[in-house]
Amino acid sequence: MIDNHARRHPIVLLLFSCLLAAPTMLVADGWTQPEGESFIGITYGSSSSNKVFRFDGETKFPTGNGGSTVREYPLADRGLFFYIEHGLTDDFTLIGSAALKRSIITSPVERRETEGIGDMAIGGRYRVVSTGPHVLSARLNLTLPTGYRRDLTPPLGLGIPNVDIGAEYGYSFWPAPAYASVALSYRLRPAIYALSSLDNPEEEFEPEYADAIVSRAELGYTFNERILLRTSGSFLSTVRQDDNDFDIKHPPATEQYLKVGFGAGAFFDNGLLVTADIGLTPAGLKTSQSTDLAIGVAWKGVLGELFGGGAENEEREGGGGDE
């Protein structure tokens, strides 16, 4: 059965299906988990590219040229993405994620594939303001390499830590079952390579990745307390740009892209969520023109109930960001 809190404010619960929206783990920004409650999800994500954006925004085939060019998704990523949120208090939510990845590059003469554990992340969301339909939160996220070899082609990640510092705002249109959210963050990418390794230690490989500004926006509507439809957009731009062209062998040190996404989620009894999403990359600089697909399943509730503890949630008054 759906708990009483969810019946009073279904949007507060159903918006969490956005947590499995895409391989990049886009979230419904701003809202925190209630104290003691968790959200646990797993997503299968696929990102495929036939073309890449040059430094001037024009597109090209990434491998070969002319008749020998590979046109059936020469750049591809597949992976399982794990995500968890846990409410330490009503105002602070602890967040973690990890990924098992497979990256593939296919050229006219060979196919290269790298599999393994990608970056892991830990962070938190602190609710600063919650009044009426409005919620404003601060967000801190630390992404760490897991010892993979950063000089492989293709690599599993950049091989450096990322630190994201930002703010998130959410608005609930309750009693209409809809919400909107926006987020803005600054991504520090320090040249610290101690947590990754080299396949060829004799050749130094320590690119100077530029810091980046990241923004997101999302809008969702719930039908009959069961089906959520949503649309989203994200924009990333490094703080510096250059005229070096796209390098298929290694991630770009500078880049820019715009992504738009569309998806649906279904909420079932006992806190189960199922989602399916598609994302497109209509514009960019030194990045892949990818099509991203994701299918996810998740559970929301008290961990003791998930593992058979049978504990009952205390009925919480308020919702939509209110105490």
Side-chain angles (χ1 to χ4, degrees), residues 3 33 37 47 54 90 94 113 132 134 137 141 145 163 177 214 217 235 245 248 259 271 280 294 314-315 320:
D3 61 68
Q33 296 285 346
E37 291 193 16
S47 179
R54 290 165 36 91
D90 284 341
L94 186 67
E113 185 174 316
H134 307 276
S137 296
N141 197 70
V163 181
V214 185
F235 179 75
D245 211 347
I248 193 173
K259 288 183 177 288
L280 305 173
E314 289 185 10
E315 183 175 298

Side-chain angles (χ1 to χ4, degrees), residues 8 11 13 21 27 29 33 40 47-48 56 69 79 93 102 111 115 135 141 156 170 172 177 237 253 270 277 282 285:
R8 287 195 301 270
I11 186 60
L13 183 57
V27 303
D29 297 299
Q33 296 285 346
I40 302 171
S47 179
S48 304
D56 57 4
T69 297
T93 294
R102 179 162 62 100
R111 173 187 170 98
E115 295 183 348
V135 60
N141 197 70
L156 294 173
S172 172
S237 180
N270 302 319
D277 291 83
L285 302 175

Side-chain angles (χ1 to χ4, degrees), residues 69-299:
T69 297
V70 177
R71 287 179 168 83
E72 292 301 321
Y73 302 118
L75 303 182
D77 283 295
R78 309 287 185 259
L80 286 175
F81 300 85
F82 305 91
Y83 186 90
I84 184 169
E85 288 195 359
H86 181 72
L88 295 181
T89 70
D90 284 341
D91 290 326
F92 182 75
T93 294
L94 186 67
I95 302 170
S97 64
L100 296 175
K101 293 182 62 178
R102 179 162 62 100
S103 297
I104 306 164
I105 293 179
T106 306
S107 74
V109 297
E110 66 178 342
R111 173 187 170 98
R112 295 190 177 190
E113 185 174 316
T114 305
E115 295 183 348
I117 301 175
D119 293 331
M120 301 182 69
I122 187 170
R125 177 183 296 116
Y126 180 75
R127 185 171 60 186
V128 179
V129 176
S130 178
T131 175
H134 307 276
V135 60
L136 177 66
S137 296
R139 177 73 183 271
L140 177 66
N141 197 70
L142 174 63
T143 303
L144 298 172
T146 55
Y148 53 75
R149 291 167 289 178
R150 62 182 180 272
D151 58 339
L152 290 178
T153 300
L156 294 173
L158 302 182
I160 59 172
N162 288 346
V163 181
D164 287 72
I165 304 171
E168 302 174 347
Y169 168 76
Y171 182 85
S172 172
F173 293 93
W174 182 260
Y179 71 92
S181 67
V182 294
L184 180 66
S185 64
Y186 188 88
R187 178 170 297 169
L188 296 163
R189 304 203 292 185
I192 299 173
Y193 291 94
L195 297 178
S196 61
S197 60
L198 292 173
D199 186 55
N200 183 4
E202 296 181 358
E203 291 189 14
E204 182 177 326
F205 183 71
E206 296 185 356
E208 294 183 6
Y209 294 105
D211 293 348
I213 297 173
V214 185
S215 59
R216 297 187 298 270
E218 184 176 307
L219 181 66
Y221 189 94
T222 303
F223 293 89
N224 298 322
E225 302 186 16
R226 292 290 184 178
I227 302 298
L228 171 70
L229 299 181
R230 69 173 209 108
T231 182
S232 65
S234 63
F235 179 75
L236 179 145
S237 180
T238 52
V239 296
R240 75 169 194 270
Q241 299 293 335
D242 56 44
D243 58 1
N244 296 325
D245 211 347
F246 184 90
D247 178 7
I248 193 173
K249 294 183 178 180
H250 304 294
T254 65
E255 65 177 329
Q256 184 180 105
Y257 61 73
L258 170 67
K259 288 183 177 288
V260 294
F262 309 91
F267 175 76
F268 298 91
D269 291 343
N270 302 319
L272 183 66
L273 305 170
V274 177
T275 59
D277 291 83
I278 182 171
L280 305 173
T281 311
L285 302 175
K286 296 175 62 177
T287 194
S288 60
Q289 191 182 36
S290 65
T291 298
D292 308 321
L293 302 173
I295 298 175
V297 61
W299 176 88

Side-chain angles (χ1 to χ4, degrees), residues 21-72:
T24 50
M25 288 294 175
L26 296 180
V27 303
D29 297 299
W31 284 276
T32 55
Q33 296 285 346
E35 181 177 353
E37 291 193 16
S38 300
F39 180 95
I40 302 171
I42 181 172
T43 297
Y44 173 77
S46 169
S47 179
S48 304
S49 309
N50 273 329
K51 292 185 178 182
V52 298
F53 292 100
R54 290 165 36 91
F55 70 91
D56 57 4
E58 298 296 321
T59 59
K60 69 170 186 175
F61 291 106
T63 59
N65 55 65
S68 63
T69 297
V70 177
R71 287 179 168 83
E72 292 301 321

